[in-house]
Amino acid sequence: MKKDIIIPEVENVFMAVVQEWSDEFMEKVWYAYLVNDSDFQLDGVMVVSKAFGTIDGEMKKTSLLRHAFAEIPEVSVAKIELIEKSVLALNNEFMVTFFIGNTLYDKKFIFKANSIQESNQEEVPILFVDGVIVR
């Protein structure tokens, strides 16, 4: 029975974290984006995020944050959330689930602890700004 289940591979959809100026905090902060660099609209998009890991020998984890989008058009981005400075030292995980047509896709994207930093930036497609990408 399990062998009959086809799990489609997610292609051209990825997460990026970009640093932007915030007037509210009066400094640059990191924002997570879901990038749809495919030729298909994503429907019924759910993003569940959390951070977890060890700081000073103590296990830490954040609560789950859930985001829903009715659709994300082809070749576009959706701003997901602000990533608080204190969780950059943790693994930041984004579980993304969506439909293309009648097919359900899901993928887990993990930004490893301390990987969200300026030295790991590259140009993010569609946004055309520098950011940290996880495919």
Side-chain angles (χ1 to χ4, degrees):
M1 236 350 185
K2 272 186 159 181
K3 64 180 173 61
D4 296 329
I5 298 173
I6 299 169
I7 301 172
E9 188 173 330
V10 174
E11 295 177 353
N12 299 319
V13 176
F14 55 90
M15 292 294 302
V17 177
V18 175
Q19 208 171 26
E20 298 175 1
W21 178 259
S22 169
D23 288 334
E24 184 179 342
F25 297 107
M26 297 304 290
E27 66 179 349
K28 283 186 169 182
V29 294
W30 294 95
Y31 283 98
Y33 285 87
L34 178 62
V35 181
N36 178 11
D37 197 16
S38 74
D39 296 330
F40 304 100
Q41 175 175 292
L42 310 181
D43 294 313
V45 181
M46 291 288 300
V47 180
V48 179
S49 65
K50 67 178 180 179
F52 61 93
T54 306
I55 297 178
D56 298 328
E58 186 177 337
M59 187 64 181
K60 302 276 187 183
K61 68 178 184 175
T62 64
S63 57
L64 294 177
L65 296 178
R66 294 173 181 85
H67 309 276
F69 302 90
E71 60 186 42
I72 299 176
E74 59 276 356
V75 191
S76 67
V77 300
K79 194 175 207 175
I80 305 297
E81 65 186 39
L82 167 88
I83 298 181
E84 220 286 315
K85 202 183 316 184
S86 64
V87 301
L88 296 178
L90 300 171
N91 295 307
N92 286 272
E93 177 183 290
F94 295 85
M95 185 66 193
V96 179
T97 306
F98 57 89
F99 284 92
I100 295 178
N102 290 326
T103 306
L104 178 68
Y105 293 80
D106 70 335
K107 184 163 183 178
K108 187 183 300 185
F109 300 94
I110 299 177
F111 292 89
K112 298 287 185 193
N114 298 310
S115 67
I116 300 173
Q117 52 185 310
E118 289 185 29
S119 62
N120 291 334
Q121 294 186 99
E122 59 185 281
E123 186 175 50
V124 178
I126 302 171
L127 284 174
F128 302 109
V129 296
D130 287 341
V132 180
I133 298 173
V134 172
R135 295 183 190 274

